[in-house]
């Protein structure tokens, strides 16, 4: 038995490299699968195959006495499968929409290090593009930059698992000519960021964006006599705290962003909910076509006839009749029309599918106004249930 730490660590490094090599091999095979499905038009996701695969892996480990927990195996392979599905999606979408740009200009709220910036980086990486950053001061500026052709895409947060819908973005969608072309789920991990390692009790002022403050309200309530300074974005807050360089102030933001401004993490994981994820949408000037093999979502904007009793129910029943799953229903006031409401409906559907087109035609009978805001690949890969 060898107990030399350096030597054992060298062996671990070797094993990790072998794992990486195998992961890259699997990644390459996923691309071959995508090419095959491009020809056969077979659905990209095969839940039965995934379940079978996971069950067999757990059984295989058990038969070989690997001493690895079933849950551990399942979680790791669910993550691997997620990468495989998204890799295939990107391949099919790039082929179909003939994206040839070397780099993509993405407009986002805030400065470098904001959550929107980190999500934009993620989106560009997923599509294997070089990101050209276009930092904006407001959500409306993100829309304007894309409209003006300064940016290819705009990235905007639509909802968060802790604080819910981002109304301002929903309202801006009411008036835009842009189309939704994608979505992205980004895990949000809020931290307290400071200039130097001080004690939490020395802090009397917190700087951040209102959404972040709301998402960390339980933690903030535990602090004595704290003053809140609202900022345009969490990155503005981080930059301000870094430039003021005072011991009594802190920014709430993410560790990666804080790092860009030379801030240190004083406390991590301060959000009310551990599972704090923001769903971003990606907007562009032109709509995209989504390959039929891909799990697709469509966002609709609709008003119903208020004079007609049960008009919203009638509208929603159209989806039931056509076996279309609705993933979200949101309502927002219409400015200038007191008590009138605009409905946002997100459905699991591809508008190029003839049966979906029939359903949308039927929906028009129950709506005064109906607009397709966009049809886009769902980039949220729900893990299969293997219990
Ligand atoms: C790779 C495939 O595509 C998807 C990804 C899977 C995987 O990575 O193992 C399994 C089934 C599909 O949901 C496949 O169909 O085999």
């Amino acid at each position: 038995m060898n107990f030399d730490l350096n030597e054992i660590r060298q062996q671990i490094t070797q094993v990790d490299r072998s794992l990486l090599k195998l992961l890259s091999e699997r990644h390459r095979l996923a691309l071959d699968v995508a090419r095959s499905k491009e020809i056969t038009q077979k659905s990209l996701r095969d839940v039965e195959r995934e379940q079978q695969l996971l069950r067999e892996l757990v059984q295989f480990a058990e038969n070989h006495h690997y001493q690895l927990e079933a849950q551990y195996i399942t979680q790791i392979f669910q993550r691997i499968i997620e990468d495989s599905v998204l890799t295939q999606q990107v391949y099919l979408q790039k082929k179909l929409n003939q994206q040839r740009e070397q780099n993509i200009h993405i407009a986002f709220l805030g400065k470098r290090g904001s959550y929107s910036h980190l999500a934009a980086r993620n989106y560009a990486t997923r599509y294997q593009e070089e990101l050209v950053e276009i930092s904006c001061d407001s959500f409306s500026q993100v829309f304007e930059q894309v409209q003006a052709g300064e940016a290819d895409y705009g990235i905007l947060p639509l909802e968060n698992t802790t604080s819910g819908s981002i109304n301002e973005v929903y309202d801006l969608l009411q008036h835009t000519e842009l189309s939704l072309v994608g979505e992205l789920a980004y895990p949000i991990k809020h931290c307290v960021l400071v200039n130097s390692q001080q004690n939490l009790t020395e802090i009397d002022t917190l700087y951040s964006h209102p959404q972040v403050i709301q998402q960390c309200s339980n933690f903030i309530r535990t602090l004595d006599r704290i003053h809140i300074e609202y900022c345009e974005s969490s990155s503005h807050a981080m930059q301000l705290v870094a430039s003021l360089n005072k011991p009594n102030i802190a920014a709430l933001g993410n560790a990666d962003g804080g790092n860009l401004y030379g801030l240190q993490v004083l406390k991590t994981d301060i959000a009310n909910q551990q599972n704090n994820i923001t769903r971003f949408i990606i907007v562009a000037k032109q709509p995209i076509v989504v390959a039929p093999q891909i799990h697709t979502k469509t966002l609709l904007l609709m008003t119903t006839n208020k004079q007609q009793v049960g008009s919203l129910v009638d509208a929603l029943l159209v989806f039931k009749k056509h076996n279309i799953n609705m993933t979200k229903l949101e309502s927002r006031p219409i400015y200038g029309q007191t008590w009138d409401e605009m409905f946002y409906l997100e459905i699991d559907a591809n508008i190029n599918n003839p049966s979906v087109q029939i359903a949308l035609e039927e929906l028009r009978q129950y709506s005064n106004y109906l607009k397709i805001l966009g049809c886009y690949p769902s980039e949220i890969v729900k893990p299969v249930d293997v219990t």
Side-chain angles (χ1 to χ4, degrees), residues 16-45:
D16 288 349
R17 286 181 185 165
S18 306
L19 284 173
L20 271 183
K21 191 161 175 272
L22 291 172
L23 285 174
S24 121
E25 215 169 292
R26 199 187 196 282
H27 186 86
R28 195 180 47 73
L29 287 170
L31 278 173
D32 286 347
V33 169
R35 288 185 190 103
S36 155
K37 288 175 183 170
E38 191 183 1
I39 301 163
T40 59
Q41 299 267 307
K42 199 172 178 304
S43 174
L44 206 148
R45 196 107 196 256

Side-chain angles (χ1 to χ4, degrees), residues 68-83:
L68 297 169
E69 273 182 41
Q71 201 194 4
Y72 172 71
I73 298 170
T74 309
Q75 275 177 356
I76 286 182
F77 278 89
Q78 276 170 339
R79 180 67 190 87
I80 291 171
I81 290 170
E82 181 189 16
D83 170 76

Side-chain angles (χ1 to χ4, degrees), residues 9-106:
R9 282 187 174 166
Q10 272 174 21
Q11 284 177 31
I12 288 184
T13 304
Q14 283 313 318
V15 171
D16 288 349
R17 286 181 185 165
S18 306
L19 284 173
L20 271 183
K21 191 161 175 272
L22 291 172
L23 285 174
S24 121
E25 215 169 292
R26 199 187 196 282
H27 186 86
R28 195 180 47 73
L29 287 170
L31 278 173
D32 286 347
V33 169
R35 288 185 190 103
S36 155
K37 288 175 183 170
E38 191 183 1
I39 301 163
T40 59
Q41 299 267 307
K42 199 172 178 304
S43 174
L44 206 148
R45 196 107 196 256
D46 183 341
V47 170
E48 272 175 33
R49 159 76 179 152
E50 289 180 26
Q51 280 171 332
Q52 186 195 12
L53 198 71
L54 294 174
R55 286 198 185 109
E56 276 177 13
L57 285 166
V58 169
Q59 194 58 51
F60 188 86
E62 210 176 296
N63 294 348
H64 289 79
H65 308 290
Y66 283 169
Q67 305 206 327
L68 297 169
E69 273 182 41
Q71 201 194 4
Y72 172 71
I73 298 170
T74 309
Q75 275 177 356
I76 286 182
F77 278 89
Q78 276 170 339
R79 180 67 190 87
I80 291 171
I81 290 170
E82 181 189 16
D83 170 76
S84 155
V85 171
L86 291 176
T87 302
Q88 295 178 55
Q89 255 178 232
V90 168
Y91 171 83
L92 290 180
Q93 280 308 97
K94 280 186 115 174
K95 266 309 257 311
L96 194 62
N97 292 279
Q98 298 191 329
Q99 266 170 276
R100 288 208 190 87
E101 303 100 343
Q102 290 301 310
N103 48 39
I104 46 173
H105 295 63
I106 306 186

Side-chain angles (χ1 to χ4, degrees), residues 222-375:
T222 65
L223 305 173
D224 270 348
R225 296 183 308 277
I226 201 85
H227 174 70
I228 307 285
E229 283 286 342
Y230 291 106
C231 303
E232 267 173 64
S233 70
S234 56
S235 50
H236 277 93
M238 292 186 272
Q239 195 188 37
L240 196 65
V241 167
S243 65
L244 290 172
N245 196 10
K246 290 199 284 189
N248 61 324
I249 62 169
L252 301 190
N254 66 88
D256 282 344
N259 199 18
L260 287 174
Y261 296 100
L263 296 176
Q264 296 178 28
V265 175
L266 184 61
K267 190 167 170 51
T268 189
D269 282 332
I270 55 163
N272 296 357
Q273 199 177 306
Q274 277 302 312
N275 199 19
N276 191 11
I277 302 169
T278 294
R279 184 162 75 108
F280 287 87
I281 50 164
I282 293 80
V283 291
K285 251 182 152 172
Q286 296 298 328
I288 52 158
V289 185
V290 187
Q293 299 95 318
I294 294 176
H295 173 203
T296 309
K297 285 183 182 168
T298 295
L299 187 65
L300 305 167
L301 192 59
M302 182 181 87
T303 57
T304 54
N305 186 352
K306 283 196 84 175
Q307 314 307 327
Q308 204 177 309
V309 175
S311 57
L312 179 62
V313 176
D314 286 339
L316 300 185
L317 282 173
V318 172
F319 295 129
K320 186 171 184 210
K321 180 179 157 198
H322 290 272
N323 205 17
I324 294 173
N325 185 34
M326 190 175 70
T327 50
K328 191 154 167 88
L329 172 64
E330 185 68 46
S331 71
R332 293 290 306 147
I334 305 173
Y335 294 118
Q337 295 181 38
T338 314
W339 306 124
D340 268 356
E341 275 177 309
M342 192 60 100
F343 295 107
Y344 296 79
L345 301 124
E346 193 176 52
I347 51 174
D348 276 333
N350 189 329
I351 50 165
N352 287 323
N353 180 335
S355 69
V356 173
Q357 284 170 5
I358 293 169
L360 292 181
E361 266 321 300
E362 220 172 299
L363 188 66
R364 283 188 200 282
Q365 294 171 20
Y366 302 101
S367 52
N368 288 341
Y369 171 81
L370 180 67
K371 185 181 170 195
I372 296 165
L373 285 173
C375 175

